Amino acid sequence: MRNFTPEQAGPGGAPVVSADPFSDEFLADPFPGHAGLREAGPVVWLERYGVWGMARHAEVQAALRDHETFCSSSGVGLSDFRKEKPWRPPSLLLEADPPEHSRARRAVARALSPGTVRNLRAGFAAEADRLVTELLAGGTVDGVTGIAEEYPLRVFPPAAGLTGDCREQLLAYGDMAFNAFGPRNHLLARSTARMEGVVPWIAAHCTRQALAPGGFGARIYDSADEGSITEDEAGLLVRSLLTAGVDTTVVTLGCALDCLARDPGQWQLLRDDPSLAGAAFEETLRYASPVQTFFRTTTRPVAAGGITLGAGEKVLLFLAAANRDPRRWEDPDRFDIRRRAVGHVGFGYGIHACIGAALSRVEGEELLAALARRVATLAPAGEPVRRLNNTLSGFASLPLVLTPAR
Ligand code: 4IA
């Protein structure tokens, strides 16, 4: 793909990129496009949308670190909340800056404390083991619906305090929310069409009455009881957990299964030492970057990569490209569960870094470890089908064949 026109100079002399990073062709195989963006320069001008782009690890990390200059309260999608009405009331966590962000983050951090996560591990491990038993009775399975969706949807809703079947609602809502960070393209239109009744369902399930006591949803309301947040704010923070906590893990697990199934050597390493499950999950976050991109908005004129960006301008941060930047990683396009993947920005970086990271790691570790212990071969049983989404990069279908270990 030729997406860089060197003779062209955009605002401030920045290299101009004509490729559309939200087109089907780009999203179907984003990594060559990311290489083009990194090579074009440290800061590029994405002419299709009239926004800046950063795709190198150093610049992406520096922007995420400088949350005063690269703010989130104008939205972390293409849409600028100061100019356009957001599709839903903004997230108090994701789409906020300090000091409001700090107060919201404290309430969520309490609900997802290390102690809470630690207490969930045994139950998550037992559920992983049950699922593997069922899978081994079946032979071939769709790794997406049968494993990557199935496992988080068994463990996350009960941990949050949701009761009943919430599968379709949570998945439809996630697909919509992550498409909504991109442009108004056909992907957003498609996920909007699937949303009938879902927004009111989500709102109803974020209330105090809907959440079972003892779950981390109810623990958000502890902060409302203490008066550090309001009742309505607690509801919106539960909404954050339901938006950010399910589809992200689903996509990551699908990518992990794909990487391991296509690389028997890596699968064997994990089989030989199931304690590498956590490392395999982390390397998946680096290699596949389930959350591919996020925007920030400049609050002042700022120099970056030798170019001056104006105030109030959108910057697209390519987390996935940073996670494979050869300036930062050795042999970046190689999936290697033995590498030190620490330093990836798959969970973001800085004050907005994923607050559910520890919880998702328990899900990833326990599922991959259970598979490693009890499955001898994990192999493709057909062509994977990619799932296109403006922000998430994963699979719609992943045919796999599993055989039991003796
Ligand atoms: C929220 C970045 C992504 C995982 C995310 C999405 C939504 C929210 C937070 C994070 O609704 O607060």
Side-chain angles (χ1 to χ4, degrees):
M1 187 189 315
R2 183 178 157 81
N3 64 10
F4 170 47
T5 323
E7 55 282 0
Q8 241 182 303
V16 172
V17 170
S18 59
D20 177 358
F22 300 104
S23 65
D24 285 6
E25 309 78 71
F26 193 101
L27 295 172
D29 183 16
F31 299 103
H34 292 159
L37 288 160
R38 279 191 307 262
E39 292 324 303
V43 177
V44 302
W45 181 250
L46 296 164
E47 72 176 351
R48 176 79 168 71
Y49 298 106
V51 300
W52 301 102
M54 297 181 184
R56 297 185 185 175
H57 189 275
E59 280 73 23
V60 167
Q61 191 176 46
L64 291 171
R65 180 185 289 121
D66 185 359
H67 58 87
E68 292 187 352
T69 305
F70 297 93
C71 83
S72 293
S73 55
S74 292
V76 299
L78 176 62
S79 171
D80 185 333
F81 290 179
R82 289 178 199 172
K83 300 174 185 163
E84 280 184 297
K85 186 170 147 37
W87 73 280
R88 59 176 194 169
S91 163
L92 301 175
L93 200 57
L94 180 73
E95 294 153 340
D97 297 323
E100 293 82 8
H101 167 263
S102 326
R103 198 163 52 86
R105 180 133 181 145
R106 261 193 302 278
V108 178
R110 286 182 59 191
L112 295 177
S113 69
T116 302
V117 174
R118 201 179 318 116
N119 290 336
L120 288 169
R121 187 182 284 273
F124 282 22
E127 194 56 54
D129 223 50
R130 261 195 296 279
L131 177 58
V132 172
T133 301
E134 294 169 28
L135 293 169
L136 286 173
T140 73
V141 60
D142 182 350
V144 174
T145 53
I147 308 177
E149 292 179 356
E150 186 64 25
Y151 180 64
L153 285 165
R154 284 190 192 186
V155 298
F156 185 95
L162 294 178
T163 51
D165 181 13
C166 17
R167 185 183 190 100
E168 176 53 25
Q169 287 88 345
L170 289 175
L171 292 178
Y173 195 74
D175 197 48
M176 170 74 195
F178 286 96
N179 272 327
F181 294 123
R184 292 192 185 150
N185 56 15
H186 84 100
L187 296 173
L188 179 58
R190 198 168 67 186
S191 53
T192 307
R194 187 183 168 190
M195 281 289 278
E196 182 73 39
V198 173
V199 167
W201 186 95
I202 292 286
H205 286 76
C206 291
T207 60
R208 190 191 281 271
Q209 308 80 265
L211 295 160
F216 50 74
R219 296 214 48 206
I220 300 272
Y221 282 92
D222 294 348
S223 294
D225 292 336
E226 283 187 12
S228 55
I229 57 171
T230 67
E231 192 82 4
D232 287 351
E233 288 173 334
L236 274 180
L237 292 175
V238 174
R239 191 194 70 177
S240 284
L241 300 177
L242 305 189
T243 312
V246 180
D247 213 352
T248 47
T249 320
V250 166
V251 169
T252 310
L253 293 175
C255 291
L257 292 170
D258 175 63
C259 288
L260 292 165
R262 279 189 299 106
D263 192 334
Q266 293 292 312
W267 172 247
Q268 193 56 46
L269 284 170
L270 184 58
R271 284 271 296 136
D272 292 343
D273 181 3
S275 79
L276 287 173
F281 190 69
E282 218 60 34
E283 172 66 347
T284 302
L285 285 160
R286 183 200 69 82
Y287 179 85
S289 301
V291 175
Q292 294 258 299
T293 47
F294 261 102
F295 290 84
R296 291 291 189 259
T297 310
T298 56
T299 55
R300 61 177 178 88
V302 57
I307 288 160
T308 301
L309 289 58
E313 297 180 350
K314 283 276 174 179
V315 186
L316 180 50
L317 303 178
F318 288 88
L319 308 178
N323 282 342
R324 291 193 185 201
D325 184 354
R327 295 160 192 79
R328 171 65 181 77
W329 309 95
E330 205 174 303
D331 208 358
D333 294 322
R334 192 178 134 63
F335 176 76
D336 180 3
I337 68 173
R338 286 166 305 182
R339 102 166 51 230
R340 252 179 77 78
V342 181
H344 73 72
V345 291
F347 278 137
Y349 179 79
I351 66 164
H352 287 278
C354 180
I355 197 159
L359 183 70
S360 85
R361 284 178 174 131
V362 171
E363 293 176 67
E365 282 166 27
E366 294 304 334
L367 179 68
L368 295 179
L371 289 166
R373 281 192 299 263
R374 301 188 42 212
V375 177
T377 57
L378 174 76
E383 278 304 304
V385 179
R386 290 198 70 88
R387 167 182 166 192
L388 301 189
N389 179 283
N390 284 328
T391 305
L392 298 174
S393 175
F395 295 89
S397 160
L398 199 59
L400 296 173
V401 56
L402 278 59
T403 62
R406 286 188 298 118

